[in-house]
Amino acid sequence: MDRKHCCVKLSVRPSRGLMDEKFLVLVQNALPGLQLTVHAFHECEDGHKWQSFAHYTADATGTVNVSEDCSVGGSYSGVEPMGLLWSLKPVPGSKPGLRMRKKNVQTPMVVVVSVYQGHLTEGFVDQVLLASVMVERWYMAPGVRRIPVTEDGLTATLFLPPGPGPFPGLLDLWGGGGQLVEYRAALLASHGIATMALDYLTCKFTLETGKVVGNQYFESAYKCLEKHPQVIGSRIGMLGLSLGTSITLKMAVYSEVVKLRCAICISGSHVQPIDGSLEQILGYFNTNSGKTRFSDENEMIWRDLLLPIPSDPSTKVDVGRLQCPLLLVVGEDDQNWCTYESAMDMKEMMERAGNSHLLTILSYPKAGHLIEPPYTPHARASSYRTLYTRQKVMALWGGQTPEHALAQEDSWRKVLIFLRENLYGGTNAGATSLSHL
């Protein structure tokens, strides 16, 4: 190896930061015009390995700035400051259907960024690297407190921001996969919002009784958040993704207990029996299971289950009665749920009712179903355990990776602004925590 190559310097700044914080990757002291591959590697808590790589050419000063320079190939092309994260894919030979999800939010996502000579596409472990840096990406900012919640039969985790509070509150609901998913709630708490992640499909009650929780379960979660001494009880919102949006809309419109300051629905629909419980909602969806389609790769496509959007008002949440601001986040290539058609119908319903001033729609062409916090690697399809049979299938979520990554970054920024405007309002509480947005 040329002696000059031994002096190649690689820096990532900040080397430790939040998951939604951009970093700067800089290669210096290379030979001018040298072809280089910048590589990222991550091993998940479950032992699965992920990688991404991009091809660059050092400029006249021997420098590559990933935030400004154009990748000419690899996992992504063009100028993509955070492409090394959002383009991560399972390494060759991995089992199919993997999706990256952080289980333990009290530890960082560790990524090793390396630089190699030449434009490589494989065999990285056998190559001599020129430089390497370890990077930590956290969902919990310093000072965020993680508090397991079991009172009132709940299976939940509350994340409190740093400082004395009190803080605005948020209920965070994921979709049909179940489990207690904490990473989005932890990240929201890192931005100054007391956020409770709630498991409502695989919670202790359901595991012990075999029964689906009733509407009062969600009202209990709201009341638990409302009465917490470090939560401003009059400033609580609700965020749902996929099936979680069905609950969010139902609570926002029909609950006598849940009084939301705002609601966010990501990749969901208002189509459901309006007077039903969660069990009846699931049953309604299941009656349409015959509309399931399959891709050429035998991936399940569920987007037709609720199409065409019904005209019968008893099968749709009456969003015309909504009294709080509503933000809809839509991927127009969603293959799992008819989110775009649902958003357009909700818009029409609210226009007729005269409350469309409460509605904001963020709609992204070529984005899929799983619109997550920014720089989360895109899974166009992944293995999924169905609600009824608990059978593992391959679900097609949709989305094209570059456009989906852009949707995640843009929508997250606007979600934080929406929450700040509607939950903080005229108060100064937590202003310091949010000042860097």
Side-chain angles (χ1 to χ4, degrees):
M1 189 193 311
D2 190 300
R3 191 170 184 276
K4 175 71 174 174
H5 295 172
C6 299
C7 303
V8 168
K9 179 184 175 186
L10 172 66
S11 61
V12 181
R13 299 192 302 268
S15 61
R16 178 180 296 165
L18 285 178
M19 186 64 195
D20 61 352
E21 184 179 359
K22 285 187 176 180
F23 54 52
L24 173 68
V25 180
L26 199 63
V27 182
Q28 296 170 294
N29 296 347
L31 290 174
L34 187 67
Q35 291 187 337
L36 297 168
T37 298
V38 182
H39 179 267
F41 174 82
H42 170 64
E43 183 171 346
C44 285
E45 296 144 315
D46 55 15
H48 296 297
K49 298 176 174 63
W50 297 66
Q51 71 171 10
S52 63
F53 56 93
H55 298 154
Y56 295 94
T57 302
D59 67 12
T61 67
T63 301
V64 169
N65 183 338
V66 170
S67 294
E68 298 177 357
D69 295 341
C70 187
S71 165
V72 296
S75 303
Y76 60 89
S77 299
V79 180
E80 296 288 353
M82 297 301 292
L84 288 171
L85 277 193
W86 58 249
S87 70
L88 283 164
K89 297 288 183 189
V91 299
S94 299
K95 75 174 187 178
L98 294 178
R99 176 184 171 197
M100 189 187 294
R101 307 193 84 185
K102 192 78 174 80
K103 302 282 195 233
N104 181 3
V105 296
Q106 295 177 290
T107 62
M109 173 187 179
V110 177
V111 181
V112 178
V113 179
S114 306
V115 59
Y116 298 86
Q117 181 180 349
H119 286 169
L120 309 179
T121 59
E122 59 186 2
F124 290 96
V125 292
D126 301 320
Q127 303 295 325
V128 178
L129 55 83
L130 303 180
S132 184
V133 172
M134 185 175 291
V135 181
E136 291 183 359
R137 312 307 291 170
W138 290 82
Y139 286 94
M140 285 177 68
V144 170
R145 288 154 289 172
R146 177 185 178 275
I147 304 166
V149 177
T150 56
E151 60 186 272
D152 300 322
L154 298 173
T155 299
T157 306
L158 175 62
F159 291 90
L160 290 176
F167 308 98
L170 188 71
L171 276 177
D172 183 17
L173 276 62
W174 285 81
Q179 307 303 315
L180 184 55
V181 183
E182 297 182 348
Y183 56 89
R184 185 171 61 192
L187 196 53
L188 287 164
S190 299
H191 286 282
I193 299 166
T195 306
M196 181 187 287
L198 183 67
D199 180 2
Y200 58 96
L201 286 174
T202 52
C203 53
K204 184 180 179 184
F205 170 83
T206 297
L207 295 179
E208 289 180 350
T209 66
K211 298 177 180 177
V212 179
V213 299
N215 293 336
Q216 70 276 7
Y217 182 82
F218 304 100
E219 294 178 339
S220 294
Y222 174 86
K223 286 188 285 188
C224 178
L225 198 54
E226 182 184 39
K227 70 184 181 186
H228 195 283
Q230 287 176 286
V231 174
I232 305 171
S234 61
R235 294 178 178 270
I236 295 176
M238 201 163 173
L239 184 159
L241 179 138
S242 192
L243 179 60
T245 68
S246 301
I247 306 301
T248 298
L249 290 169
K250 177 179 284 294
M251 291 294 113
V253 173
Y254 300 116
S255 174
E256 294 294 321
V257 173
V258 176
K259 303 298 179 187
L260 300 179
R261 285 294 291 256
C262 63
I264 300 172
C265 292
I266 304 173
S267 304
S269 177
H270 60 318
V271 178
Q272 57 174 286
I274 60 172
D275 55 353
S277 63
L278 173 60
E279 186 171 21
Q280 289 166 312
I281 292 173
L282 296 174
Y284 178 78
F285 295 160
N286 197 46
T287 59
N288 294 328
S289 60
K291 294 183 180 180
T292 302
R293 290 187 286 119
F294 292 87
S295 72
D296 293 340
E297 288 76 36
N298 207 37
E299 300 153 333
M300 298 191 83
I301 300 171
W302 287 306
R303 76 172 314 276
D304 295 345
L305 261 62
L306 303 180
L307 290 177
I309 301 293
S311 55
D312 181 356
S314 70
T315 57
K316 296 189 292 190
V317 173
D318 186 3
V319 289
R321 292 173 51 180
L322 195 69
Q323 296 182 33
C324 69
L326 171 64
L327 175 65
L328 301 179
V329 182
V330 173
E332 294 179 21
D333 187 40
D334 191 331
Q335 297 300 311
N336 186 255
W337 220 229
C338 52
T339 51
Y340 179 78
E341 293 88 346
S342 296
M344 293 301 102
D345 192 62
M346 282 189 266
K347 179 174 182 280
E348 190 177 303
M349 290 173 70
M350 292 179 73
E351 284 173 348
R352 285 201 305 267
N355 65 341
S356 61
H357 61 284
L358 296 172
L359 178 65
T360 303
I361 300 176
L362 303 177
S363 192
Y364 298 96
K366 297 187 180 181
H369 185 70
L370 299 175
I371 299 177
E372 302 211 56
Y375 321 130
T376 301
H378 170 230
R380 179 168 172 81
S382 71
S383 62
Y384 177 83
R385 198 175 291 278
T386 60
L387 277 172
Y388 282 93
T389 64
R390 304 309 292 164
Q391 171 192 6
K392 269 199 171 182
V393 299
M394 198 68 72
L396 182 62
W397 309 114
Q400 302 299 319
T401 297
E403 291 86 355
H404 190 90
L406 183 64
Q408 291 189 154
E409 185 174 353
D410 185 72
S411 63
W412 181 255
R413 179 177 62 84
K414 289 171 180 173
V415 160
L416 291 178
I417 291 170
F418 179 83
L419 290 171
R420 182 178 59 190
E421 289 177 347
N422 290 291
L423 294 183
Y424 279 94
T427 73
N428 292 319
T432 305
S433 304
L434 289 168
S435 61
H436 63 286
L437 284 180

